[in-house]
Amino acid sequence: MESKAPPPHDLTLAAARFAALGSEQRLHVLRILVRAGPAGLAIGTLGGRSGITGSTLTHHVKLLVAAGLVQQQRQGRSIICAAVAHGAVHDLSRFLLTECCADSDVPCPDHTHD
């Protein structure tokens, strides 16, 4: 069975997102925001929950925003961070699993194709 390579844009986007998730601190921040739901958290609350504050938190959030995994919005004096990752993380999983076992004679027991 011949495998069809994903388009280069998909590879670039997936690589950028995986790179953003390649830090324990950024992954921790994203998990906190996913748990918070669509309303997100004020940056101060996010810092308190994550144990990451100041310029370090700003740096990590900036990278997550650039990867399209988090969005920021000003509400009055607060900056609210929210995960937009639900679809993006699902897309990353699909990116990895779409061709699961495509070159194998034995079907993958843990994955069914959509």
Side-chain angles (χ1 to χ4, degrees):
M1 180 182 298
E2 188 173 316
S3 176
K4 190 172 125 182
H9 175 68
D10 291 348
L11 286 172
T12 302
L13 180 59
R17 287 183 171 165
F18 279 118
L21 296 174
S23 156
E24 287 180 29
Q25 288 184 320
R26 284 191 295 277
L27 188 57
H28 183 54
V29 166
L30 182 62
R31 289 183 73 194
I32 290 168
L33 291 174
V34 167
R35 288 177 58 102
L41 295 171
I43 195 83
T45 302
L46 178 58
R49 290 189 187 177
S50 67
I52 307 166
T53 58
S55 62
T56 301
L57 180 60
T58 301
H59 167 75
H60 288 309
V61 169
K62 181 179 176 181
L63 291 171
L64 291 168
V65 168
L69 297 170
V70 168
Q71 67 182 21
Q72 288 184 301
Q73 181 179 8
R74 181 168 290 283
Q75 288 183 0
R77 292 182 169 186
S78 297
I79 296 175
I80 306 298
C81 299
V84 291
H86 304 279
V89 171
H90 187 268
D91 289 347
L92 286 176
S93 297
R94 193 171 336 126
F95 174 82
L96 290 175
L97 297 174
T98 294
E99 297 182 40
C100 179
C101 304
D103 295 333
S104 174
D105 294 333
V106 179
C108 181
D110 296 334
H111 178 72
T112 57
H113 295 278
D114 295 333

